[in-house]
Amino acid sequence: MCGIVGYVGPRSVKDVVLNGLRKLEYRGYDSAGIAVLDDGKVKIVKAVGRLVNLEGKLESHPVAGRVGIGHTRWATHGRPSDDNAHPHSDCSGRFAIVHNGIIENYLALREELVAKGHQFVSETDTEVVAHLIEDVFNGSILDTMVTIGKRIRGAYALVVISKDDPDTIIVMRKASPVIVGLGNGENFVASGIPALLEYTRDVIVLDDGEMAVVRADSVECFNLEGQPIGEKETLHVTWDAQSAERGGYPHFMLKEIYEQPKAIHDTLLGRVSDDHQQVILPELKWPAGYAASIDRIHIVACGTAWHAGLVGKSVIERLARIPVEAEIGSEYRYANPIYTPGTLVVAVSQSGETADTLAAMRLAKENGLRVLAITNVVGSSVAREADEVIITQAGPEIAVASTKAYTTQLVTLYLLGVYLAQARGLLLDGDAREILEALSNLPQVAEQVLDAASQIQQFAIRYKDVEDTFFIGRGLDYAVAMEGALKLKEISYIHAEAYAAGELKHGTLALITEGVPVIALVTQTHLYDKTISNIREVAARGAYVLGLAWVGDADIHKTVDEVIYLPRTLPLLAPIASVIPLQLLAYYAASSRGNDVDKPRNLAKSVTVE
Ligand code: F6R
């Protein structure tokens, strides 16, 4: 949440910072701002609203210099406004600071600072840090930040520039991600990799409780006591700069939907043996016999990643016969979960920075459990804190609504399910081959599903003004229905509810009236007849039913008003095929309503606050 960019070097600071913020705007878009050390002075320009407003304002308020920081905000403390936008400064205007996270004791600090005569201009928690720096500054910004670290509580990535250290950016991290990008005679700071891709792919990830002093020709890292911690590992990111561009698509979301065949292919690459007999997961450095000793699995995740976890639960239980709970991160950590020594925790997170997922996995680690992470971001907190990591190969996901991350999480969970089943001697060779061949064929399946785009677009345009929709299905179809409903809600703002098809008659059927669109998923062959009966129940009450069924299903049109035919794969793998039309439905509904698809209201990518 919130995008942070910093730059020190010979290029135009304004250009590098704005460019980086453009790539990070998906992390927050309530307001934006920039601070530059310009002619010995800290010059700050900020504007409420989208980044474009800041860009406009900079035309009449130009800034230039060698050092600068910028921020794009997702409001937590204080409504979106020019005053509440970052960077924040102190009374003397010597320091500028941007922040991602929450300073939990800001009210007490603010009272203390006001009593000392400090004047605040914003309602934010961040501004207290700027005044606190002014209050304790002793000539050394590093020493000052050590003191700040002892006074503030909460989560933060703080990035500071100071008039007294004109070629320096100070970065400090506790629980909010921040990376340093390494250049030649220039260095960068950012809260996310996409901001840097145009300039460098070599990064240092600061760990919790670390600081960095970044200059054009050096990066020095310290602990929060100010002691040097020596050289940190440099990670090389494989994403290319184009992957963070829209590439001719009107929105990142549409581009990312269309990237799914490739993302699925890349995630499978090297993970299935050529004869389709074995799953290859060298990332799982488990001791011999460990896979067979797992007696339960807790999948922890949030939002769309949790929906992937629900599919994973079904798949692993079916193939490997291990009981699996799929838990929402924010619930799990307070639910006093029951562990056995053989419990494996699987944390699923696109960003690898979701605070609730991280907290859930930390709880598991505190209880001595092994944690496997499935994440899309190398070097993310989830990746670094887990015992083992499988990286999904979706490439950067910029749109707030997750699409290709979800399908690659599913692919990874399928691979894990087969791997566990084989390790436990539960899958006959023929069955493993059938599943692995079908998995390897999924990029083509995804490609073919995309052919239905114009039919879905027409449906979406026809129904774009409805207030309520329902998504129904049984078994795996129900898990996908939940994802379809979430997608529609978050970007089109149409109310959508997912229901287990057999459960409607216990209450929700009362909401079905003439013309209400119901999207019915009918891919689970063993539940076919039951689902058809449930569809008849809504159709009889006047619903307009759009069915998603396998190509070749000759009967489905007798029950539904309209059908989207899915290219055939195994029913177990249906979620990959059936979710894509639902992503497209949400996309076209939102775009035809004129919504800002990539940046839906009130939301932000990567939820780093609890
Ligand atoms: C919805 C969406 C969110 C995320 C959730 C978890 O489209 O993107 O529900 O799935 O915030 O994010 P990650 O996967 O980064 O942990």
Side-chain angles (χ1 to χ4, degrees), residues 302-305 349-352 354 400-402 409 486-487 490 607:
C302 301
T304 288
S349 172
Q350 186 284 127
S351 61
T354 299
V400 165
S402 185
Q409 285 158 358
L486 173 62
K487 270 318 70 104
E490 71 175 319
V607 186

Side-chain angles (χ1 to χ4, degrees), residues 492-515:
S492 76
Y493 318 143
I494 296 171
H495 171 243
E497 222 176 300
Y499 243 78
E503 183 67 8
L504 281 170
K505 54 189 174 292
H506 299 292
T508 311
L509 207 51
L511 294 175
I512 304 293
T513 51
E514 197 60 37

